[in-house]
Amino acid sequence: MRSVSAVTVTYGDRFYLLKQVIDSALEEGVSQVIVVDNASSDESREKLREYERASGRISVVYIDENTGSAGGFKRGIERALEVGSEFIWLLDDDNVPLRGSLENLMRCWDEIEDPNKERTTAILSFRFRRYKEGVKLLTRKNSFTDFHILDIIYNIFSIGRFLRRITSGDDFKKLDNPEEVSIATYGGLFLHRDIIPIIGLPDERFFLYEDDNEYTFRITKKGGRIILCPSSKVDDVDLSWRVDEEPSFFHAILKSGGDFRNYYRFRNRVYFERKDLVTSRFMYRINRFFFLMILYIFSIFIKGDHSERIRIIRRAIRDGENGRLGKADFKLDP
């Protein structure tokens, strides 16, 4: 019997979500659920302690300071290795596996014809709410936070989408059968323990945002594969993060998300791109220039004072380009 540990990270007051994930994972047949309690609220932590005592298949790592998703999943993977798990299934604390999801994951795994797959391959469950329009593959090389001037040029023409697909291969793809993707989220990622010495552990200096992209890209960068398995379905049951859509990407940057989210998202994305995705510094600088220029133009015409948001974003860009990671040493409004 192959042992599978489900690893999840929780924080705040989210036990009502976490319990659904634990129950569903256990029903699917995992050997145990490893929970990293990332400084959750007192009430949520006490409920988790009671649940851990009542079950023989829940193991909790309690942390008194929130170490973010990167630090949390790092400690969860370490615990899974310590207890001897053969497979590790990462789940966010609102990723509820649907019936048959683990069985279908194992079927996808067994169908991979690669004698070295334990050290080269990861499987990804299908988060159908998140990926309902398809799975976005790796962004175009030399983009700046996913922005590339060629996308604007291509989209002027009616054949823009076709041109983008054949020149970069990273448009959204609808998947009906198992297919390779370039990067992945933590939620749904399925790993054999033998791949961990190859790719290492999540980089906790990221704290939040983009750490999953950087971590999973290590697999494909080293010549391995990430295969999405559409038959292994996971439901994102917490929709509270969803906000009303802004008219444009630049509206969203200036008006949504708060300084905290925007700082870490920009800083970490810039660091990841500079480290792994930039092949032409010249093209990268062009994209950065046009991105900031368009952002400034939008800030003039969108109602409100956006000077502080732009200041935070510019600092995030500088910190990312200079490799200054870790928790910010200044206050960020939520």
Side-chain angles (χ1 to χ4, degrees):
M1 183 68 177
R2 293 176 289 192
S3 62
V4 178
S5 285
V7 174
T8 188
V9 178
T10 193
Y11 62 97
D13 187 17
R14 294 171 62 85
F15 181 77
Y16 69 102
L17 296 167
L18 174 66
K19 186 177 183 300
Q20 298 177 60
V21 176
I22 294 173
D23 291 344
S24 295
L26 292 175
E27 288 174 5
E28 283 302 291
V30 299
S31 305
Q32 65 176 335
V33 177
I34 296 171
V35 179
V36 178
D37 184 315
N38 227 348
S40 63
S41 68
D42 291 342
E43 182 179 359
S44 184
R45 177 167 285 194
E46 182 55 36
K47 290 178 180 178
L48 180 56
R49 288 189 191 278
E50 293 175 1
Y51 208 52
E52 181 186 16
R53 287 193 292 265
S55 172
R57 296 165 62 193
I58 302 173
S59 174
V60 184
V61 179
Y62 293 98
I63 304 175
D64 292 330
E65 178 185 7
N66 192 328
T67 60
S69 55
F73 277 109
K74 176 183 177 182
R75 285 160 178 77
I77 293 171
E78 288 175 331
R79 172 62 65 86
L81 295 175
E82 288 171 3
V83 300
S85 304
E86 182 181 2
F87 292 95
I88 302 169
W89 191 14
L90 305 184
L91 297 167
D92 291 339
D93 67 353
D94 64 344
N95 292 163
V96 175
L98 299 189
R99 182 169 296 179
S101 57
L102 181 57
E103 179 183 355
N104 289 329
L105 267 182
M106 296 308 306
R107 183 178 296 113
C108 287
W109 176 264
D110 290 337
E111 290 174 353
I112 298 172
E113 297 180 354
D114 179 355
N116 199 34
K117 62 185 177 183
E118 290 82 3
R119 295 167 56 85
T120 62
T121 305
I123 305 283
L124 184 65
S125 294
F126 187 74
R127 295 168 62 179
F128 61 91
R129 290 185 194 264
R130 186 183 182 100
Y131 301 145
K132 61 184 178 181
E133 294 181 5
V135 177
K136 190 177 189 301
L137 307 185
L138 198 62
T139 189
R140 187 191 297 276
K141 295 285 187 180
N142 305 308
S143 294
F144 178 78
T145 62
D146 285 335
F147 173 88
H148 201 294
I149 191 65
L150 291 181
D151 292 336
I152 295 178
I153 297 172
Y154 286 168
N155 287 329
I156 291 174
F157 303 98
S158 60
I159 59 171
R161 286 186 176 275
F162 173 72
L163 288 172
R164 178 179 172 82
R165 252 193 328 270
I166 64 174
T167 56
S168 70
D170 72 345
D171 205 358
F172 276 86
K173 299 182 69 175
K174 290 190 175 182
L175 302 176
D176 298 315
N177 299 305
E179 191 165 339
E180 291 188 33
V181 294
S182 306
I183 52 178
T185 59
Y186 290 131
L189 190 66
F190 188 78
L191 307 165
H192 192 277
R193 64 177 293 117
D194 288 351
I195 202 173
I196 306 302
I198 308 299
I199 64 172
L201 297 166
D203 186 347
E204 59 186 318
R205 297 178 303 157
F206 277 76
F207 185 54
L208 290 169
Y209 303 117
E210 297 296 333
D211 47 308
D212 50 358
N213 286 336
E214 189 274 337
Y215 185 58
T216 55
F217 186 61
R218 297 181 203 173
I219 298 171
T220 50
K221 185 169 67 172
K222 292 178 180 294
R225 296 185 296 167
I226 305 170
I227 300 175
L228 189 139
C229 180
S231 60
S232 174
K233 290 184 171 57
V234 171
D235 189 9
D236 292 83
V237 293
D238 179 23
L239 302 181
S240 63
W241 58 269
R242 296 180 184 273
V243 296
D244 293 336
E245 290 187 1
E246 298 289 350
S248 74
F249 173 64
F250 291 97
H251 277 80
I253 292 172
L254 293 169
K255 298 183 68 175
S256 303
D259 291 340
F260 182 91
R261 177 179 178 183
N262 276 283
Y263 173 79
Y264 284 108
R265 189 175 73 85
F266 272 91
R267 186 199 68 178
N268 294 347
R269 183 68 194 186
V270 165
Y271 176 79
F272 170 49
E273 288 175 343
R274 288 284 293 260
K275 182 171 73 75
D276 288 320
L277 304 179
V278 173
T279 58
S280 167
R281 291 293 178 92
F282 176 72
M283 194 70 240
Y284 172 81
R285 291 190 182 104
I286 288 177
N287 288 320
R288 179 177 60 183
F289 171 80
F290 278 102
F291 174 90
L292 291 173
M293 182 182 71
I294 295 171
L295 183 64
Y296 279 122
I297 292 172
F298 269 81
S299 72
I300 293 171
F301 292 100
I302 296 175
K303 185 178 180 180
D305 181 6
H306 307 292
S307 57
E308 180 62 16
R309 175 61 55 83
I310 291 177
R311 186 188 71 81
I312 290 291
I313 290 172
R314 290 191 67 89
R315 175 160 184 173
I317 292 169
R318 289 196 304 271
D319 287 349
E321 291 181 340
N322 289 291
R324 290 193 290 264
L325 302 183
K327 281 190 178 182
D329 58 1
F330 59 97
K331 184 178 180 181
L332 287 165
D333 293 332

